[in-house]
Each structure stands twice: as C-alpha cells, then as structure tokens.
Amino acid sequence: MYYDYCDLGLSVCIQNPIPTGLDRPSTSTETGVRRRAMIALLNATSSSPLGGTQGSGQLQRSVCVLGFIPVIYYSALLCIGVPVNILTAVVLSRLAARTQKSSYFYLLALTGSDILTQLFIVFVGFLLETAVFHREVPELLLHTISVLEFAANHASIWSAVSLTVDRYLALCHPLRHRQFSYPERTQKVIALVFVLALASGVPFYWWSDVWRVTHPPTAMDKALIWTHCTIIYFLPCSIFLVLNSIIIYRLKIRHRKQCREQCQQPAPRRCGKTTAILLALTTAFSILWAPRTFVIIYHLYVSTVNRNWLVHLAYDLANMLAMLNTAVNFFLYCFVSKRFRSGVREVLLLRGGVPPAPHHPLTLKPLPNSLHSSCDGKSLSTPDVTPSHF
C-alpha cells in the first residue's frame, strides 16, 4: 500500500492489551514474562511467504518510535484539510464561473485531486485499513485501493504541471494562449489529466508492502519504485524548474525593458499574483515531497524500513510531510490573493456569487504590435496580458 505506518506495532499493542483491574492480579514474574512475550512478537520467528521459517536474524523488525502520534496527526490533517479544500473548491468554482480563466479551472482541478488524495490515502489507506482494521481486509480490496491512491496522487501533481504549462504559455506566448486556453479546451485537458492519472495508477496494483515484505526487492519492485519516483517527483520537478526559470527570466527582461522605455529607472522586481501562486505551489511541493522520494530510494538500495528503525522513522516523517502538501494550498491562496480572500469571505457570510460572465465566441481582431510576445523578441515593450491579480 501507499502508506502503511506502524501497523505491526499498533496491532501488537491492540491485540495484546495490558490486563485491566477486572483480570486476576498478576505476579511480577508473570508481568516480566508478558513483557518479554510482547517484545518477542516484534522480532519473532515467522513463516516465510515461500514456505519454511525465518529466524530473528532474517526478520528483525524495526520498532515504531512515534507510537500513536501519526494517528493524531493524520486525524487532525483530515479534519482540517478536507473542510478547507472544500471551501477552496467552492471559491475557485465561483471565480472560474465569473472570469472564465483557465488558471482557475486548473487550480480547481488541483483542489479536487487533493481532496481525493486525502480521502483515499489518509482516511481509507491509513486510518481505516492500517490503524483500525490492521490490514485484515481482502487482498483484492487492498490492491484496488492502492491503485486509487496512486491515481489520486498523480492527478494532484500533474494538475499542478498543467497549471505551470498554462502560465508559461500565458506569459511567453500570449497569442497561442488566447487561441488554445478557452474554458472548453481547458476542461478537456483536465479530463485527460485525470484519465491518464487513473491509467498510470493501474501498474501499482502490484506495489509491494514495504513494511511486510522481507525478501530483497525484485526487478518489478525496483521498476515500480523508480516509476513512482519519476512520475511524482523527478519529472514534475524538472518541468517546474525549467518553465518557472523561463517565466521568471522573461518577466525580469520584460519589466526591465518597460521601465527603460517609460521611466528610465531601475526595473522593479514584481510578478502577477497568479505567477506568485504558481511559484509558491511548486516550491512547497518540491520541498515537502523531497524527503519521501529520497527515503524510498534509500530503502531500495541501502537499508529497508522494516530492518532499520532510523529509516523507519525517516519514512514515517517523510510520509507526514508529503501529505501536508494536500492541506497548505488554501493558506497560500489566502496569503497571496486578495480576490481569493474576498471570495472566502463571501462564502462564509453566505453571500451570493456574481453571475458568470457571458460567453462570447472567439473572434480574431487586429492587435497592436505591443501585444506581440516579448519572448519572440519582436517588441521591447510588451504589456503583461495575464491578470495582475489572482
């Protein structure tokens, strides 16, 4: 499964509770024996999946050092993250209907995929399967939910990639952006992203359980882990790095040329609110997902999480940081965008939304030379055709 945090330790503590006052009093000898038995459960000789037994040297399980902290953390994350993401979706849907801008549709898709990620990974995968049922559910259901977890995660990340490409086109190729990024096509792109995300989650039906598999990673395990790391981190971060660098460079050149022409003063360092949101989103993602990516590669080649308690701890904390990324976007939007804060205020005060703008068919009109893209080097002063506010 995608997240299997400390299931062994939790199930041992729950299935072997400490005797209460209703039981007969136990002597100190019996208490010592019971403690040794509970410790032995963590490092006991067990049956191999291939038959036979494995000694304690082969199955030396790492100890969960965080206890019930992750249960409290994920419960709080779910109680906070789902409501704020639903509120974000309502606000963004109003803004998308009001302005018909592609960036709001992509942000709405990102929010919806974050909600699915929280439901499938945090609520179903961790809290229900692992903490409540201790994974005592049919294998078919476990693997099916694993596919949905990976699909939701991929949809969230690649919705952010779609937003990055949209901002790149808007800033560096505004004419192409006007031609291709109308609402109907934007919705088709989002639907395609979700379909591809679901298809990319199917191979992870065979994802190995890193907490319970004791044999060395097979060729399929290595292929799935590297595919996972490429899809969720290496490839998206490469796209973020390249396109964001181009966006920042073009904005810097554009503002410098405009200022030289108009006021003969040093160019101010500024960017639109939508671009600021994009940079904040991609930076938060790159930081919060980096630990999990590198820990799982370390688990693959150096030391497994079920043998080394330090790797076990690092993997648990990395998972917690990665899931935090699904709940921080609301606060980033509020911090950057005045329009978004106004939308939140309208929703909380139960005010009616502004009617959507009427849709006009796309017509080609003569454009002044100043609207040509500065990325093509045809004009020294090109106004920013993207909104200055979010």
Side-chain angles (χ1 to χ4, degrees):
M1 289 295 293
Y2 200 85
Y3 286 87
D4 301 298
Y5 178 87
C6 290
D7 179 52
L8 179 64
L10 290 176
S11 61
V12 167
C13 295
I14 295 175
Q15 293 174 5
N16 299 276
I18 299 175
T20 62
L22 299 178
D23 300 326
R24 65 177 181 85
S26 59
T27 63
S28 58
T29 303
E30 292 176 341
T31 302
V33 171
R34 189 175 292 110
R35 288 177 179 174
R36 288 192 296 271
M38 291 184 67
I39 295 174
L41 284 173
L42 289 174
N43 302 313
T45 301
S46 63
S47 298
S48 170
L50 302 177
T53 59
Q54 295 176 336
S56 60
Q58 293 176 301
L59 185 61
Q60 192 73 17
R61 299 272 186 174
S62 60
V63 180
C64 174
V65 297
L66 293 181
F68 284 92
I69 293 177
V71 178
I72 300 173
Y73 171 82
Y74 285 120
S75 299
L77 183 66
L78 197 67
C79 293
I80 297 174
V82 172
V84 299
N85 277 331
I86 292 176
L87 177 59
T88 303
V90 174
V91 175
L92 290 175
S93 62
R94 289 189 175 191
L95 292 175
R98 183 185 308 171
T99 63
Q100 297 294 305
K101 291 179 180 177
S102 58
S103 58
Y104 292 123
F105 288 100
Y106 287 118
L107 290 172
L108 183 59
L110 174 62
T111 304
S113 56
D114 282 342
I115 295 175
L116 293 177
T117 301
Q118 290 175 335
L119 292 180
F120 285 129
I121 295 180
V122 179
F123 180 67
V124 177
F126 175 76
L127 293 178
L128 288 184
E129 288 184 359
T130 304
V132 176
F133 296 109
H134 313 296
R135 297 180 59 82
E136 294 179 0
V137 294
E139 288 292 328
L140 178 62
L141 180 60
L142 286 177
H143 292 295
T144 302
I145 294 175
S146 180
V147 171
L148 297 177
E149 290 174 347
F150 281 97
N153 184 227
H154 296 171
S156 176
I157 294 171
W158 285 90
S159 295
V161 173
S162 301
L163 175 64
T164 305
V165 175
D166 179 77
R167 289 297 88 199
Y168 166 76
L169 291 175
L171 290 169
C172 291
H173 304 281
L175 297 182
R176 290 184 181 179
H177 184 264
R178 284 171 174 261
Q179 182 180 359
F180 293 108
S181 294
Y182 53 89
E184 291 79 5
R185 178 161 292 182
T186 300
Q187 293 168 8
K188 291 180 181 179
V189 171
I190 292 172
L192 179 62
V193 169
F194 275 75
V195 170
L196 293 178
L198 181 59
S200 67
V202 173
F204 296 95
Y205 181 90
W206 294 274
W207 180 266
S208 295
D209 188 345
V210 298
W211 303 107
R212 293 164 181 80
V213 174
T214 57
H215 58 75
T218 62
M220 177 176 287
D221 294 335
K222 293 181 179 180
L224 287 177
I225 287 177
W226 275 107
T227 302
H228 172 63
C229 294
T230 301
I231 291 176
I232 62 102
Y233 194 76
F234 293 126
L235 186 56
C237 283
S238 300
I239 296 174
F240 293 152
L241 178 62
V242 173
L243 295 187
N244 287 344
S245 299
I246 295 175
I247 289 172
I248 294 173
Y249 176 77
R250 295 302 183 184
L251 285 176
K252 183 177 179 180
I253 295 298
R254 177 179 302 176
H255 293 156
R256 183 178 299 172
K257 290 180 179 179
Q258 287 178 353
C259 199
R260 286 176 180 176
E261 281 193 347
Q262 297 174 5
C263 56
Q264 300 294 329
Q265 294 178 0
R269 295 183 178 181
R270 56 174 182 168
C271 63
K273 297 295 184 181
T274 308
T275 305
I277 283 288
L278 171 64
L279 297 177
L281 288 177
T282 54
T283 302
F285 166 79
S286 302
I287 294 174
L288 294 177
W289 275 90
R292 184 180 189 276
T293 303
F294 292 107
V295 168
I296 197 171
I297 294 176
Y298 187 89
H299 153 80
L300 182 61
Y301 290 104
V302 182
S303 180
T304 61
V305 297
N306 55 6
R307 303 285 183 86
N308 190 329
W309 71 270
L310 287 175
V311 182
H312 187 148
L313 175 63
Y315 196 58
D316 292 334
L317 295 176
N319 286 339
M320 295 166 70
L321 282 177
M323 285 297 97
L324 180 63
N325 188 63
T326 63
V328 300
N329 292 345
F330 170 82
F331 304 100
L332 293 177
Y333 301 159
C334 289
F335 178 75
V336 173
S337 173
K338 182 178 180 181
R339 173 177 288 186
F340 184 82
R341 292 194 298 269
S342 300
V344 172
R345 192 179 304 112
E346 289 179 0
V347 173
L348 294 179
L349 297 179
L350 302 178
R351 297 177 182 174
V354 177
H359 175 69
H360 298 287
L362 181 64
T363 57
L364 297 178
K365 297 180 180 180
L367 296 177
N369 293 332
S370 59
L371 285 181
H372 289 289
S373 173
S374 64
C375 295
D376 299 330
K378 296 181 180 180
S379 173
L380 293 178
S381 62
T382 303
D384 190 353
V385 299
T386 56
S388 60
H389 52 273
F390 174 56

